Every structure is written in C-alpha cells, then in structure tokens.
Amino acid sequence: MAGIDYCHANIQQRELFSYTKSTLAETMVKLKEKFHLSGCVVISTCNRTELWVSGKTDISLVDMLCDGKDLSNEEKSNIFIQREGMMAVHYLMELACGLNSQIFGEDQILTQIKDALLFAREQHTIDTVLEILFRDAVTAAKKVKSNVRLTVADRSMAVATIELLKQQFESLQGICCMVIGNGEMGRLVASELVKQHCKVMMTMRQYKHQDVMIPGGCRVLNYDERVEKLSEQQIVISATRSPHHTLKYEETAQILSQKPIVLVDLAVPRDIDPELEKLDTVTLYNVDDLGDLSREKDQQQIQKAKRILSEYEQDFEDWYDLREWIPTIEKIGKQTSLDIVGRTKKQLKQLSIDETQRYQFRRNMDIASQKAVMKLLFDLREHLDREEWKRCVIGLEEAVEQSKRKEFA
C-alpha cells in the first residue's frame, strides 16, 4: 500500500488526494486498467488516502496515486508512506481498530474500511487477496471492539468536536449552532450538539428532504438560506463532501465580522474558506485541530488488542502462503481420485445398475476422493511446520507424476 495521512501531510496536501464518489470510481477503474493491476482498493477519508494493491507491479504505488498531479519526487518522499507484505497487513489490522487514527480508538474508521471494500466490489476492482484481507481486518476489528475497552468510550470525530467546543464555551447549553451537511458526519455532530442542549439547525438541500433522516431535536434549514442565518449563530460546523466552499469569504465576511463566532470545518477538501480566519471575530478549526487523545492510560488494552490482531494476521499469512499451493494440492487430489476410480472399474461393472447410475456413481466417487485427499493435506499443516509441509506436498506431487509416467509407459 501507499498512502498519505495526517501524520505526514497537512490538510492542504491531503486535499490534493480527496475524492468525491464519482471521481473515486473513475480513479480506481483507471488505475486497475492503466497499470494492469490484479486488484485495488482506495481508502479515502478526511485524514488519509491510501491505495491498496495485490501482486507485483513495476510502477510505484506513489507514482500511481500521483499520476496527473504536479508533485516533485522530494514532496512525494516527504508525505507518502509505503508498506508491503505483512507490514501492510499489520497496519491495516490496527487501522481498522482505530489504533492509527488521529482520534485514537475511534469507531468511524471501521465503517470507512467496510465502505471502501464494498465500493471496490461495486467497481469490480477488487480481487480475492484484497477481499480476504479487508474482510479479515473488519472481522478482527469487530472482535477487538467487543473485547477491548479503551479509556474513552466514544472517540469519534463528533465527540472530539464537542470536546473542542467545550474549550471555547463555559457551557454549550442554549448556544445556537448550524450544521452544514446532512451526511453521516453531519448527523453525528448534530446529535452530539443536541445532547449538549444546543439549539441546532441543520442544512438540507430541497431535493433531499425525503431521503435524509434528520436527528431528533434539530430544525431543518434550506441549504440556500445558510448565509442569511449566519448572524444568529455562535457555532457553525460544516461537514460535506462538496468540492466547493460552503462558506465563501466574499459572501460571508461582512456578516461574520459583526460578532465572535466559532467555525469548525470537518471536511477534506475543506468546506470553509481559510481566508475567514483572518477576521478578528472568527475562530476557525479544521480536522487537524481535533488532536490526539492520550494513549498512555490505554497501554494494557492496546496490548490486548494487538494479541487479538496477531491471530488474524497469522491466519491471513497462512492463507496467503497456502494459496500458491492450491493448484498442486488439487492436482494430487485429482490424480488420486483417477487412480481410485480406475481401480474400481471392474467392481462397478458387476453392479446391477444402468449406465446413467454407473456414471453418477463414478462421478461421486471422483469428487469424494479429491475432497478427502485435499482435506488430509490441508489438515496436515496443523502437525508440521511450514517448510516440512511444503516438502511433503512436493514429494507427493513427484510421486503422482511418477505414477502417471508409469501408467502411460
């Protein structure tokens, strides 16, 4: 994998690699076709953009992601991280649990990884290796969430936003807030504000009124009326997937300069024009200001989580290592079944059954024999170390080939 995230790139740099759903679909299909990839998945969130690829490629994944973007090699080396093999597997397992998130232990990343997997399926860009890896990471994260309790119960960006706001106001009760955007993040933030007894209005475009669930306790505001309602607000939070600013300097500066207001931009690319921060009355935050919660008190729980993850990492490694041997094992099973069926021809002819039944009997015997041999070879892995097992399979393959040569000699 190759990726850009909040640890190594600021929000301006991450904006270069943010996608809408349509542009993400186009990018994934283009990458798969242009670079002849077996499979690819892209994780795209406000904190990271990562390209995951299975198999070998002559072109670096960083160059693939930067295709068409004007970045120097020095910039690429400074802001991108690359991982491969089990290092990449280990990273994805921890990522799905929120252990590598800016908001430590957050739950939203698990949903984002599931969504990335589903989206790759829909675009037909995923292959078996990435399918198994991402499914294992999701399953492992769910087990961690069920068995490990981190210090802070809810570490989502929405809750972190509330904590940030509490540093600005003695109490949030009764404060007038506007939430721009009714996607998942907008709804989560609005719900948290309602819990704090804020007076919350949420913007909605007219054509979406019947399609979107508004959190209880929120008033609905037509998106086009957001600017004229700004003067009534003490807090404005924007969290859309729009490629354009929801609050533009030229449209809002005069209104926002009248009294103090806190703006929180939870979008990448950013929703709120950064120029607004120049106003003395405006306090502007973005996702990079949410900060990281202390991990010191979580060390025992982190180690417990890592023990769970290591089991899933080992299972994936075993599966990945085994997959190259499946054709060999199938060949051994097939040749063995042919030998068994051949040895029973005489007995079959003596049975009082018609030719159709005889054919079906041979077919069932063929299938059963193959499955029995393959199961024995797979189960043998539990009793031998990896190299011994490989030598055993190689020996059986040579024995099968020798038997075939004798048969046709």
Side-chain angles (χ1 to χ4, degrees), residues 245-291:
H245 288 147
T246 56
L247 296 182
K248 300 177 181 178
Y249 183 88
E250 60 271 19
E251 294 177 350
T252 62
Q254 186 175 356
I255 299 171
L256 295 176
S257 63
Q258 301 303 311
K259 66 173 187 178
I261 189 167
V262 175
L263 307 179
V264 183
D265 191 341
L266 298 180
V268 177
R270 285 169 288 182
D271 277 347
I272 300 174
D273 191 337
E275 290 294 307
L276 288 169
E277 192 171 18
K278 294 178 180 178
L279 299 177
D280 293 337
T281 52
V282 169
T283 301
L284 175 60
Y285 296 105
N286 60 49
V287 291
D288 286 354
D289 296 312
L290 295 181

Side-chain angles (χ1 to χ4, degrees), residues 33-191:
E33 293 177 353
K34 182 174 181 177
F35 299 107
H36 309 291
L37 304 176
S38 173
C40 68
V41 177
V42 174
I43 300 174
S44 178
T45 75
C46 59
N47 282 327
R48 70 190 73 249
T49 297
E50 297 176 353
L51 172 62
W52 290 78
V53 170
S54 65
K56 296 293 184 182
T57 175
D58 295 331
I59 302 171
S60 83
L61 271 59
V62 172
D63 288 339
M64 289 184 196
L65 267 176
C66 295
D67 188 37
K69 301 191 188 308
D70 187 19
L71 284 177
S72 68
N73 289 333
E74 184 180 359
E75 287 177 296
K76 292 177 187 178
S77 63
N78 287 337
I79 65 177
F80 276 94
I81 291 292
Q82 298 185 75
R83 301 175 179 89
E84 63 179 43
M86 289 309 296
M87 285 182 65
V89 172
H90 176 74
Y91 166 77
L92 184 63
M93 295 285 179
E94 291 196 348
L95 179 67
C97 299
L99 298 185
N100 290 317
S101 293
Q102 186 176 25
I103 309 301
F104 177 63
E106 56 135 337
D107 295 326
Q108 193 179 14
I109 186 62
L110 176 56
T111 300
Q112 291 165 337
I113 289 176
K114 288 192 289 186
D115 288 345
L117 171 60
L118 178 60
F119 197 70
R121 287 177 188 157
E122 292 172 348
Q123 309 313 312
H124 306 291
T125 64
I126 199 165
D127 67 351
T128 302
V129 173
L130 291 173
E131 174 80 34
I132 298 296
L133 173 59
F134 272 67
R135 274 186 2 213
D136 284 357
V138 168
T139 303
K142 287 180 177 177
K143 185 169 182 180
V144 168
K145 298 291 184 184
S146 299
N147 292 274
V148 179
R149 184 174 180 81
L150 298 173
T151 303
V152 180
D154 189 343
R155 298 174 182 263
S156 69
M157 287 181 66
V159 173
T161 301
I162 299 300
E163 294 303 314
L164 184 67
L165 292 173
K166 285 181 176 179
Q167 297 173 19
Q168 299 297 316
F169 299 89
E170 290 185 8
S171 170
L172 295 178
Q173 184 168 351
I175 283 184
C176 294
C177 307
M178 179 193 297
V179 177
I180 302 175
N182 48 56
E184 181 185 9
M185 180 53 65
R187 295 195 300 273
L188 286 171
V189 171
S191 296

Side-chain angles (χ1 to χ4, degrees), residues 308-321:
I308 293 172
L309 296 179
S310 67
E311 296 175 7
Y312 284 88
E313 291 170 27
Q314 186 62 56
D315 287 346
F316 177 81
E317 185 176 18
D318 289 345
W319 172 83
Y320 188 85
D321 192 49

Side-chain angles (χ1 to χ4, degrees), residues 190-232:
S191 296
E192 293 298 327
L193 290 170
V194 170
K195 290 179 184 177
Q196 299 297 320
H197 307 290
C198 297
K199 296 177 181 178
V200 185
M201 61 171 59
M202 172 178 271
T203 66
M204 183 177 294
R205 297 182 187 273
Q206 285 184 329
Y207 63 86
K208 286 189 174 181
H209 272 218
Q210 295 180 348
D211 303 326
V212 179
M213 294 292 293
I214 296 295
C218 294
R219 289 189 295 139
V220 177
L221 175 68
N222 189 300
Y223 177 81
D224 294 332
E225 299 174 3
R226 69 195 185 285
V227 174
E228 63 186 78
K229 292 290 184 180
L230 278 178
S231 60
E232 302 174 12

